[in-house]
């Protein structure tokens, strides 16, 4: 009988026992995982880096708290992609075990920090939209750049602290407690607490966006009823409604991509997982990269400011490319004319 299938051996705190968590048994499965991670990870890093460039290269966007929160989301997605792809592929595809327990928990903490920061950035963006729509006249006084930076600092420090608890001692090796079936060295109680934290964040985001959509619906009804009075306030309302719908799309994609992973995590706490379900969990984990890859596409398509900046970047790139193609021809023409002279 395979020793990895016994509960006692699956819970041992030994680096040599980590092959029990390597559930990909065939070469086709490993190639599939490596391909998905490579494709999604590369596109995610490129797209989110482009979003950061578009935000901070334009004075109009980098000064707005809304785009500071979106840039925090893009940064979190970049970090999650880099750490996740490197550690996940090395572990499941190359079966790398040449690292210590501390190094594995450090990598896992990096992934948890990035995802928690991504979700928390969405929460701050939801609160930003909530204030913008519910109290538009006081928005600039309540949501300043200084307060936005302070909120982002608290966000990242809190997420990093929670994600660092396993490496600081809250793990099944130090406590001699029940280990998770999905993650080596991770205590089941810590996994339960982290899931509760994520569920609270999701609940707050859903509540905030529900209120934003309700107020946005009221604004749309008001504008349709008073079409004659079109001014700056109605323009501002249209921008708020557009951004609220965009962020709801982001939230919908996030929930769809992360639901399978969260459901399996919750199920693993109350029941034992078969090898088939653990393989399903490994493949579902790549949906997290898909979520990070889709978010920037939604920004580019839905945000008029980012879309306009993106068009300007492409136009400038085409002009430079055209100039570089024409310059050798101009130079050769100049040389030939000199020879003739």
């Amino acid at each position: 009988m395979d020793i990895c299938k016994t509960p006692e051996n699956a819970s041992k705190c030994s680096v040599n026992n980590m092959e029990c968590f390597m559930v990909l048994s065939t070469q086709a499965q490993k190639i599939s995982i490596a391909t998905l991670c490579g494709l999604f990870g590369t596109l995610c890093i490129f797209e989110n880096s482009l979003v950061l460039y578009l935000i901070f290269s334009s004075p109009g966007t980098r000064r707005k708290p809304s785009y500071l929160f979106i840039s925090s989301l893009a940064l979190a997605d970049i970090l999650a992609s880099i750490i996740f792809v490197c550690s996940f592929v090395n572990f499941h595809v190359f079966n790398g075990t040449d690292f210590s327990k501390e190094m594995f928990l450090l990598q896992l903490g990096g992934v948890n920090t990035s995802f928690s920061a991504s979700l928390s950035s969405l929460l701050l963006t939801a609160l930003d939209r909530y204030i913008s729509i519910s109290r538009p006249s006081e928005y600039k006084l309540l949501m300043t750049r200084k307060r936005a930076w302070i909120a982002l600092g608290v966000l990242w420090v809190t997420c990093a602290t929670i994600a660092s608890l396993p490496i600081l001692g809250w793990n099944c090796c130090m406590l001699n407690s029940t280990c998770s079936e999905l993650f080596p060295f991770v205590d089941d109680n810590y996994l339960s607490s982290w899931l509760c934290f994520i569920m609270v964040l999701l609940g707050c985001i859903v509540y905030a966006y529900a209120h934003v959509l309700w107020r946005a619906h009221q604004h749309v009804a008001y504008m349709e009823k008073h079409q004659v009075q079109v001014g700056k306030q109605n323009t501002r309302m249209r921008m708020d409604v557009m951004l609220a719908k965009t962020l709801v799309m982001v939230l919908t994609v996030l929930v769809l991509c992360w639901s399978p992973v969260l459901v399996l995590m919750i199920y693993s706490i109350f029941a034992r997982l078969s090898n088939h379900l653990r393989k399903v969990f490994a493949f579902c984990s790549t949906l997290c990269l898909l979520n990070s890859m889709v978010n920037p596409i939604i920004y580019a398509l839905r945000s008029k400011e980012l879309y306009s900046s993106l068009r300007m970047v492409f136009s400038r790139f085409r002009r430079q490319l055209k100039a570089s193609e024409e310059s050798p021809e101009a130079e050769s023409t100049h040389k030939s004319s000199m020879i003739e002279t």
Side-chain angles (χ1 to χ4, degrees), residues 310-328:
L310 183 61
R311 291 184 61 183
M312 291 177 60
V313 169
F314 281 130
S315 298
R316 187 163 58 246
F317 176 74
R318 283 198 299 266
R319 287 196 300 267
Q320 292 176 354
L321 185 62
K322 186 177 180 180
S324 63
E325 290 177 351
E326 293 177 352
S327 58

Side-chain angles (χ1 to χ4, degrees), residues 11-171:
S11 300
K12 282 183 178 178
C13 291
S14 172
V15 176
N16 297 327
N17 199 54
M18 291 184 66
E19 59 268 15
C20 297
F21 294 88
M22 300 174 183
V23 294
L24 302 182
S25 55
T26 65
Q27 196 67 19
Q29 294 173 354
K30 294 181 180 181
I31 293 175
S32 300
I33 284 288
T35 303
L36 291 175
C37 289
L39 178 63
F40 293 161
T42 302
L43 291 176
C44 175
I45 294 172
F46 171 76
E47 292 172 359
N48 284 285
S49 299
L50 181 61
V51 168
L52 289 177
Y53 172 78
L54 293 176
I55 291 176
F56 287 99
S57 63
S58 172
T61 54
R62 68 168 176 260
R63 294 174 182 173
K64 295 182 179 181
S66 301
Y67 288 101
L68 289 179
F69 299 146
I70 292 177
S71 64
S72 174
L73 176 62
L75 177 61
D77 287 337
I78 291 174
L79 293 178
S81 299
I82 295 174
I83 302 173
F84 178 85
V85 169
C86 293
S87 58
F88 194 79
V89 172
N90 179 59
F91 185 79
H92 284 288
V93 177
F94 298 106
N95 296 336
T97 57
D98 54 342
F99 48 83
S100 61
K101 175 192 70 176
E102 290 74 17
M103 181 57 64
F104 178 84
L105 291 177
L106 183 63
Q107 293 174 353
L108 184 62
V111 175
N112 288 346
T113 299
S114 302
F115 171 61
S116 302
S118 177
L119 200 58
S120 300
S121 298
L122 279 176
L123 176 59
L124 289 181
T125 311
L127 294 177
D128 173 74
R129 290 300 89 200
Y130 174 84
I131 296 173
S132 176
I133 289 183
S134 62
R135 305 175 71 175
S137 59
E138 304 175 21
Y139 173 75
K140 290 186 177 181
L141 295 177
L142 295 175
M143 189 57 67
T144 61
R145 292 184 73 249
K146 181 179 179 181
R147 291 181 178 178
W149 281 112
I150 292 175
L152 288 175
V154 173
L155 178 158
W156 280 91
V157 171
T158 302
C159 293
T161 301
I162 294 175
S164 301
L165 291 178
I167 197 173
L168 294 177
W170 193 355
N171 57 74

Side-chain angles (χ1 to χ4, degrees), residues 167-178:
I167 197 173
L168 294 177
W170 193 355
N171 57 74
C172 57
C173 302
M174 295 287 292
L175 301 177
N176 196 23
S177 56
T178 305

